[in-house]
């Protein structure tokens, strides 16, 4: 068959000039690697986001100030959710023990122990005694805050595993050790389980009793309400009930829009991933531009090949090869070069993209859609880049080609 013969001739030509072949493969490979690698990395980030937010629990939703984290979606400023409003919500909820109240006390705190001092980027969260259960966080060692400690604003603290190892390197037991936030001394009551370094992890976050945070730190006073639902199937119904209760607490008039947000982990995941779509589009554009550059490089190399093989083309035409056969020969060669370079680029792209996945403590991803798309892109680039050189070769006059030196 003509196609098989053209493929054989393409391989013969490819291995006839190894240096040019290697350079051509690398041009295509780096173009495909840029596209597949970036998109694989983005898929890995999306998977990490899904895994991280799902760890918040399908049974949990959050009531928070309207517009927090929603880029450009709010045109007006709504009042914060005060501690008093959050308390009213908790007291009126059908199971107050399933409601946890939190406030962000500081995001630039510095913690110090007798051994070491942290960087000034520690997030201090004020929480109540329900927080760990509602947010499905477990303790590696120690104990949770008691209700009395929360109410009396006791100077106790729960450290993340990363922060405990930073402040107490080589120490077997961190519980009951003393640390300082600024000039205030706290006693460590517990250490959180390590959740890894995935998106949304709280490695530099520590927890103190909510009333202690309100008394010690001059924060914004905005309170976040986290609610645990006993049955995940009742989540939407509970969200509707919470929305109605919060409208009553906030005295929102009938017919007016909510001045607060009720967010589930699924909605939060969808919001974050929708923002990443812009990054995906930009990355795809960068990859396509890189491939266009690779295609231009391939076209130049194919033109050089046509010039070098002018006499060979003349001989082929003299013994009966048609212009169509010459054109298909060079097109096949361009496509074969692109497919081989593309296979190498896809392999490198998968390795590079999964390198990001490893950094995010994610699983190995085999992006079949980008693998198939990569080969299709390579075919299109090979066809486009090889078309002009193939037409030029097919239009050569056999007499002039035979006299070409």
């Amino acid at each position: 068959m003509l196609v098989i013969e053209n493929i054989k001739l393409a391989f013969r030509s490819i291995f006839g000039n190894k240096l040019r072949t290697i350079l051509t493969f690398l041009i295509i490979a780096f173009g495909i690697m840029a596209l597949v690698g970036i998109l694989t990395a983005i898929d890995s980030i999306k998977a990490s986001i899904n895994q991280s937010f799902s760890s918040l629990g399908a049974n949990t939703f959050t009531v928070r100030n309207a517009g927090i984290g929603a880029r450009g979606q709010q045109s007006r400023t709504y009042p914060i959710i005060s501690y008093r409003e959050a308390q009213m919500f908790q007291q009126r909820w059908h199971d107050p023990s399933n409601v946890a109240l939190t406030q962000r006390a500081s995001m630039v705190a510095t913690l110090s122990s007798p051994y070491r001092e942290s960087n000034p980027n520690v997030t201090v969260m004020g929480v109540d005694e329900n927080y760990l259960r509602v947010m499905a966080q477990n303790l590696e060692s120690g104990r949770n805050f008691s209700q009395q400690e929360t109410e009396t604003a006791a100077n106790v603290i729960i450290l993340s595993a990363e922060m405990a190892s930073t402040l107490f390197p080589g120490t077997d037991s961190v519980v009951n050790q003393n640390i300082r936030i600024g000039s205030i001394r706290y006693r460590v009551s517990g250490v959180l389980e390590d959740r890894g370094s995935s998106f949304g992890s709280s490695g530099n976050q520590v927890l103190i009793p909510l009333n202690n945070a309100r008394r010690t730190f001059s924060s914004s006073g905005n309170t976040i309400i986290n609610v645990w639902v006993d049955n995940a199937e009742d989540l939407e119904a509970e969200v509707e009930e919470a929305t109605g209760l919060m409208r009553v607490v906030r005295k929102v008039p009938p017919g007016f829009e909510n001045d607060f947000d009720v967010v589930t982990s699924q909605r939060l995941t969808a919001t974050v991933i929708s923002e990443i779509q812009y990054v995906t589009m930009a990355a795809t554009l960068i990859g396509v531009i890189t491939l266009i550059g690779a295609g231009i490089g391939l076209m130049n190399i194919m033109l050089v090949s046509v010039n070098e093989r002018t006499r060979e083309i003349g001989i082929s035409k003299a013994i009966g090869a048609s212009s169509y056969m010459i054109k298909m020969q060079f097109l096949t060669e361009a496509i074969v070069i692109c497919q081989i370079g593309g296979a190498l680029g896809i392999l490198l792209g998968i390795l590079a993209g999964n390198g990001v996945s490893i950094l995010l403590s994610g699983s190995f991803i085999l992006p079949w859609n980008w693998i198939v798309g990569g080969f299709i892109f390579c075919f299109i680039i090979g066809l486009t880049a090889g078309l002009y050189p193939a037409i030029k070769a097919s239009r050569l006059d056999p007499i002039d080609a035979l006299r070409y030196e």
Side-chain angles (χ1 to χ4, degrees), residues 71-91:
R71 186 182 68 180
Q73 293 183 2
Q74 297 293 338
S75 58
R76 54 179 292 193
T77 302
Y78 292 101
I80 63 172
I81 297 176
S82 67
Y83 178 63
R84 177 178 168 276
E85 290 173 335
Q87 274 192 316
M88 291 174 61
F89 179 95
Q90 185 179 40
Q91 292 165 2

Side-chain angles (χ1 to χ4, degrees), residues 21-291:
T21 298
I22 292 172
L23 292 176
T24 308
F25 285 167
L26 289 177
I27 290 172
I28 302 300
F30 280 115
I32 286 293
M33 184 184 73
L35 181 63
V36 175
I38 292 172
L39 295 176
T40 302
I42 289 174
D43 282 349
S44 172
I45 292 171
K46 288 180 181 178
S48 178
I49 290 171
N50 275 312
Q51 182 179 3
S52 297
F53 280 120
S54 65
S55 68
L56 298 178
N59 296 56
T60 307
F61 65 88
T62 300
V63 183
R64 64 186 190 182
N65 190 40
I68 296 177
R71 186 182 68 180
Q73 293 183 2
Q74 297 293 338
S75 58
R76 54 179 292 193
T77 302
Y78 292 101
I80 63 172
I81 297 176
S82 67
Y83 178 63
R84 177 178 168 276
E85 290 173 335
Q87 274 192 316
M88 291 174 61
F89 179 95
Q90 185 179 40
Q91 292 165 2
R92 297 183 185 184
W93 189 251
H94 53 79
D95 188 352
S97 65
N98 280 349
V99 179
L101 309 183
T102 66
Q103 283 189 9
R104 182 180 287 111
S106 175
M107 295 182 67
V108 290
T110 301
L111 276 63
S112 59
S113 71
Y115 308 95
R116 191 172 292 179
E117 185 176 280
S118 73
N119 293 324
N121 63 345
V122 180
T123 300
V124 180
M125 296 292 295
V127 304
D128 62 13
E129 67 277 7
N130 300 329
Y131 178 80
L132 294 184
R133 185 174 63 85
V134 170
M135 299 305 292
Q137 292 198 19
N138 299 318
L139 289 172
E140 183 180 286
S141 60
R143 61 172 179 81
N144 187 19
F145 302 140
S146 66
Q147 184 176 356
Q148 181 181 3
E149 286 172 333
T150 304
E151 292 175 351
T152 59
N155 286 6
V156 289
I157 190 169
I158 295 176
L159 302 177
S160 66
E162 180 181 327
M163 192 55 57
S165 62
T166 299
L167 296 175
F168 299 95
T171 304
D172 293 333
S173 178
V174 177
V175 177
N176 293 324
Q177 297 272 9
N178 291 322
I179 68 166
R180 289 184 178 273
I181 303 179
S183 60
I184 303 173
R185 188 173 68 177
Y186 288 83
R187 178 172 50 85
V188 179
S189 70
V191 177
L192 295 171
E193 273 188 355
D194 188 6
R195 286 191 170 187
S197 58
S198 60
F199 183 90
S201 64
S202 53
N204 66 335
Q205 180 174 292
V206 298
L207 309 176
I208 61 175
L210 179 56
N211 284 334
N212 185 286
R214 297 178 62 242
R215 181 192 66 187
T216 306
F217 294 87
S218 56
S219 61
S220 64
N222 184 49
T223 308
I224 298 173
I225 305 169
N226 302 292
V227 183
W228 171 268
V229 178
D230 292 325
N231 189 347
E233 295 178 356
D234 299 330
L235 182 65
E236 290 302 323
E238 297 281 285
V239 166
E240 293 299 324
E241 182 179 346
T243 302
L245 176 56
M246 200 62 189
R247 286 180 66 89
V248 173
V249 170
R250 300 270 282 182
K251 297 184 170 77
V252 180
F256 282 71
E257 64 179 5
N258 295 334
D259 58 0
F260 57 90
D261 286 333
V262 181
V263 182
T264 64
S265 59
Q266 292 87 350
R267 292 177 185 176
L268 192 57
T269 303
T271 300
V272 175
I273 289 180
S274 68
E275 295 293 322
I276 294 180
Q277 298 303 324
Y278 297 105
V279 181
T280 305
M281 288 174 9
T284 304
L285 181 61
I286 292 170
V288 169
I289 291 173
T290 306
L291 277 177

Side-chain angles (χ1 to χ4, degrees), residues 335-355:
I335 292 171
V336 168
I337 290 173
C338 263
Q339 292 298 319
I340 296 174
L344 176 61
I346 288 170
L347 177 62
L348 294 175
I350 291 172
L351 294 176
N354 280 284

